[in-house]
Amino acid sequence: MSRVPLPYSPKILELFRNPKNLGKMEDATVSAVAGSPACGDMIAFYLKISGDETIEKASFESYGCAANIATASITTEIVKGKRLKDAWKLSWKEVADAVGGLPTVKFHCGILSVGALRRAVREYYKTRSKPSWLPDELTVEEKHALEEEELAEVLSKKIGGKA
Ligand code: FES
């Protein structure tokens, strides 16, 4: 069966071939992982945060598709130099726009990138007093990552049960 290639934007293809900020960060202040069992892919996000809550460096590791690598890479580029408060506001739609748009079946890949970023920001405040701009409720992007992880667990149990 032949596969129809996805209509990826040139920006996605460029970032997929030459991703910026790819790799584990040894001196990260915080890190977070998010998974997407819609496809079984995972992403890790690393942030180096300075004393005044500015993101000095951001990097990622992705075990995902081209859209995931591209959106994660652009996310690290966008948030670098931003205060955590401003980085938090970045939405998956802005990320999708920044890579020239995502095919509909790849929306979740961009959502996963922002979900991992937000998780890393929450991680930072786990050991610090929570600022007023950080909501108690999980955001759509975070919920998405969470729901998908729960789904994965159910699926892996089912698959495990059948083996
Ligand atoms: Fe898995 Fe894109 S298809 S992250």
Side-chain angles (χ1 to χ4, degrees), residues 24-88:
K24 188 174 176 181
M25 193 190 295
E26 297 300 338
D27 60 344
T29 315
V30 280
S31 65
V33 173
S36 170
C39 55
D41 294 334
M42 289 209 14
I43 176 173
F45 219 87
Y46 303 90
L47 297 176
K48 172 119 174 105
I49 300 163
S50 69
D52 69 347
E53 306 189 342
T54 299
I55 298 172
E56 282 178 8
K57 283 193 295 181
S59 77
F60 74 99
E61 289 177 294
S62 166
Y63 306 95
C65 66
N68 186 243
I69 290 170
T71 53
S73 183
I74 206 97
T75 300
T76 59
E77 284 284 286
I78 295 171
V79 300
K80 203 166 46 179
K82 276 199 164 51
R83 305 287 301 269
L84 287 174
K85 185 183 177 178
D86 298 318
W88 179 265

Side-chain angles (χ1 to χ4, degrees), residues 8 36 38-41 64-68 105-106 108-109 112:
Y8 280 138
S36 170
C39 55
D41 294 334
C65 66
N68 186 243
V105 294
K106 294 284 173 177
H108 77 270
C109 321
L112 190 63

